[in-house]
Amino acid sequence: MADDCCSKKSNTLAELASKKDQRRVLIIVMVVNAVMFGAEFGGGLLAHSSALMADSIDMLGDALVYALSLYALHRGARWEAGAAIAKGAIILLFGIAVLFEIGDKIINGLPPSSAMMLVFGSLALAANLTCLTMLWRFRHANVNMSSTFECSRNDVASNIGVLVAAGLVALTGSAWPDIAVGSIIAVIFLRSAWRILSEAIPVWRSSTPSSANLARER
């Protein structure tokens, strides 16, 4: 009986410690993404790069995503699933927005500056690899942290795509590599949104709010 009680207390303390660690990591990656959004979006404007601008918008979305993840911590499975649904919806909207931006670039765009793409793309990659490393151990913690890790992994893939596009733009002098990578980033957004929503919606539907959570919702 005593052993069982101690075991339960130990599990509770371990869970609380894990939540504290999750909060600390989410705050760090949220700040990193917010700062990098400003830097990379400005670089995209200066370089006239669809890929850079798409990648920067992704970082803005992630900053919002991490804020939602922080809000959902300690609020139970239903809140965590609800935050994941919101994240999936944000990613979906940004994917559609990038497709519209690419359409405009095809009609009116000029070849971007490959040098500026390399500089800002490299900065973004370094920032996102740091975030991915911090999130790695929480990737299977719950649906909330799993979806957060998914966002960070997508960022790294997008950053690599931007650097590849920069190299191809430098070699060809054409805007098409930039357009192609922007399109790939949009597809990644849409695929990720589908995966997150397909996992989170059933969890949200099956979760019953506790009385404490119901009081908070009111």
Side-chain angles (χ1 to χ4, degrees):
M1 184 92 166
D3 288 342
D4 184 57
C5 180
C6 290
S7 176
K8 288 181 179 178
K9 287 181 179 179
S10 176
N11 291 339
T12 300
L13 290 172
E15 183 179 354
L16 289 174
S18 177
K19 293 288 188 181
K20 183 178 180 180
D21 289 343
Q22 289 176 34
R23 178 175 293 277
R24 177 179 57 82
V25 168
L26 286 172
I27 289 173
I28 294 171
V29 296
M30 179 180 66
V31 172
V32 168
N33 275 267
V35 171
M36 283 307 303
F37 159 70
E40 196 175 15
F41 189 80
L45 287 175
L46 292 172
H48 303 289
S49 169
S50 295
L52 268 181
M53 292 176 69
D55 198 37
S56 71
I57 291 173
D58 183 31
M59 298 193 93
L60 173 63
D62 284 347
L64 298 174
V65 158
Y66 298 137
L68 286 169
S69 295
L70 281 166
Y71 185 73
L73 283 178
H74 303 294
R75 292 176 178 267
R78 187 175 177 86
W79 276 95
E80 290 173 349
I85 290 171
K87 285 180 272 188
I90 289 171
I91 294 171
L92 178 63
L93 289 174
F94 280 134
I96 294 170
V98 169
L99 290 177
F100 277 102
E101 195 278 334
I102 289 169
D104 180 70
K105 183 68 176 288
I106 290 172
I107 297 171
N108 303 309
L110 297 173
S113 167
S114 58
M116 295 192 71
M117 289 178 68
L118 284 170
V119 170
F120 286 98
S122 297
L123 288 173
L125 178 61
N128 281 317
L129 282 174
T130 301
C131 292
L132 189 68
T133 300
M134 289 189 291
L135 289 166
W136 178 264
R137 66 189 177 108
F138 300 116
R139 66 192 186 280
H140 299 310
N142 51 55
V143 67
N144 184 34
M145 295 303 293
S146 176
S147 61
T148 302
F149 176 79
E150 174 90 6
C151 293
S152 186
R153 186 177 60 184
N154 287 349
D155 288 345
V156 172
S158 298
N159 298 150
I160 293 172
V162 169
L163 295 178
V164 170
L168 292 175
V169 168
L171 287 173
T172 65
S174 169
W176 282 106
D178 183 57
I179 293 170
V181 169
S183 301
I184 292 171
I185 292 174
V187 171
I188 291 173
F189 286 173
L190 298 176
R191 175 186 171 276
S192 181
W194 172 260
R195 195 192 75 80
I196 291 172
L197 291 172
S198 65
E199 289 184 3
I201 290 174
V203 174
W204 186 83
R205 287 176 174 170
S206 63
S207 299
T208 302
S210 66
S211 57
N213 286 338
L214 282 172
R216 286 195 191 99
E217 289 176 0
R218 288 171 186 161

